[in-house]
Amino acid sequence: TKSITGAILLLLSVYSFIAFTSYLFTWKADQNLLISNSFFNFIFGDSEIQVENWLGKFGAWVSHLFMYRWFGIISFAFSFLLFITGIRLLLNIRLLPLKRTYLVSLLGILWFSIFLGLMASSVNHLGGSFGYNSKIWLKSIFGIFGAFSLMLLLLFIFVVTIFNPDFKALFQKYFSRTADSSFDEESLEEEDGKNDFKPIVDDYRKELEDEDE
């Protein structure tokens, strides 16, 4: 049973990835057909409906659902989750810890959808319908600047809670190295400056010795 489920999840992962990728290139040609037709009419109704999506009508509908009606371009994360779960069930290979990966991915999907939606002027494939409607709601409460600030604050809380980075160590690693390198450059410049005056001093000393003679 695990093997069958894993194989199905891997197939869905590849299918969704191809459908999403195709959507990025073909959405303009297919979108009007998808918006103006219900699911059953689009899939099973008029056989003359032709779509540009590489995986046909169902691929066009799935990609439109995830990319336009739901979460936008971050929906590629669903393909990733299906892939690592399928590998785990089918081959018993643990690419990543599933619980932690699902938690990070699902929170990331929500955050990126809303953040990209803040930059959209209408519903599109950046943040999807979820991201754009979240923008309208947040903008009405906090304003656009406040909404961006809130999202950055949530990102900081998310990173600290999930990954617990040592900011002090990171600061010392990168900024102290920069300070040390700039100090070394200044020291070298001072040494070069001293060396530049050395020939002048030597010539002056030589002239004094010649006068004494």
Side-chain angles (χ1 to χ4, degrees):
T1 305
K2 277 188 175 183
S3 298
I4 296 174
T5 304
I8 292 173
L9 291 178
L10 277 178
L11 180 62
L12 290 175
S13 169
V14 175
Y15 188 91
S16 61
F17 180 81
I18 295 174
F20 295 163
T21 303
S22 175
Y23 180 87
L24 298 177
F25 300 96
T26 61
W27 67 271
K28 289 183 178 180
D30 297 340
Q31 184 162 291
N32 289 334
L33 297 173
L34 288 156
I35 292 175
S36 60
N37 289 281
S38 65
F39 170 75
F40 286 99
N41 186 48
F42 180 76
I43 299 295
F44 305 107
D46 191 353
S47 59
E48 295 183 357
I49 294 178
Q50 299 294 322
V51 296
E52 297 295 326
N53 192 282
W54 302 337
L55 295 179
K57 289 183 178 180
F58 193 71
W61 181 82
V62 168
S63 58
H64 178 77
L65 178 68
F66 278 87
M67 302 281 259
Y68 185 85
R69 294 189 180 277
W70 286 356
F71 302 107
I73 198 169
I74 193 61
S75 297
F76 276 99
F78 288 107
S79 301
F80 171 72
L81 292 175
L82 290 171
F83 179 77
I84 62 171
T85 307
I87 289 291
R88 179 70 178 275
L89 294 176
L90 180 62
L91 305 176
N92 198 26
I93 296 176
R94 187 171 182 256
L95 297 176
L96 292 168
L98 289 182
K99 288 184 179 180
R100 184 181 179 85
T101 304
Y102 266 82
L103 175 63
V104 173
S105 298
L106 293 177
L107 290 176
I109 287 169
L110 295 176
W111 188 89
F112 273 102
S113 177
I114 297 173
F115 185 77
L116 294 175
L118 290 176
M119 294 180 280
S121 57
S122 62
V123 178
N124 57 28
H125 59 273
L126 285 179
S129 180
F130 174 79
Y132 181 72
N133 289 318
S134 298
K135 169 198 172 177
I136 295 175
W137 180 70
L138 289 173
K139 185 179 178 182
S140 67
I141 299 174
F142 302 106
I144 193 65
F145 179 77
F148 271 106
S149 301
L150 176 63
M151 293 307 298
L152 293 176
L153 176 62
L154 291 176
L155 176 63
F156 177 78
I157 296 172
F158 170 73
V159 170
V160 171
T161 304
I162 301 297
F163 301 103
N164 191 26
D166 189 345
F167 291 105
K168 183 178 180 181
L170 291 172
F171 181 85
Q172 291 176 345
K173 180 179 179 181
Y174 293 103
F175 289 95
S176 62
R177 180 183 299 175
T178 304
D180 292 340
S181 61
S182 62
F183 176 77
D184 293 339
E185 289 177 0
E186 290 177 359
S187 301
L188 288 173
E189 288 176 359
E190 290 178 1
E191 291 295 330
D192 291 339
K194 292 177 181 179
N195 292 333
D196 290 340
F197 285 104
K198 188 175 180 182
I200 299 174
V201 174
D202 290 341
D203 291 340
Y204 180 71
R205 286 177 179 175
K206 187 175 180 181
E207 289 180 1
L208 290 176
E209 290 175 358
D210 292 339
E211 289 178 1
D212 293 338
E213 292 177 357

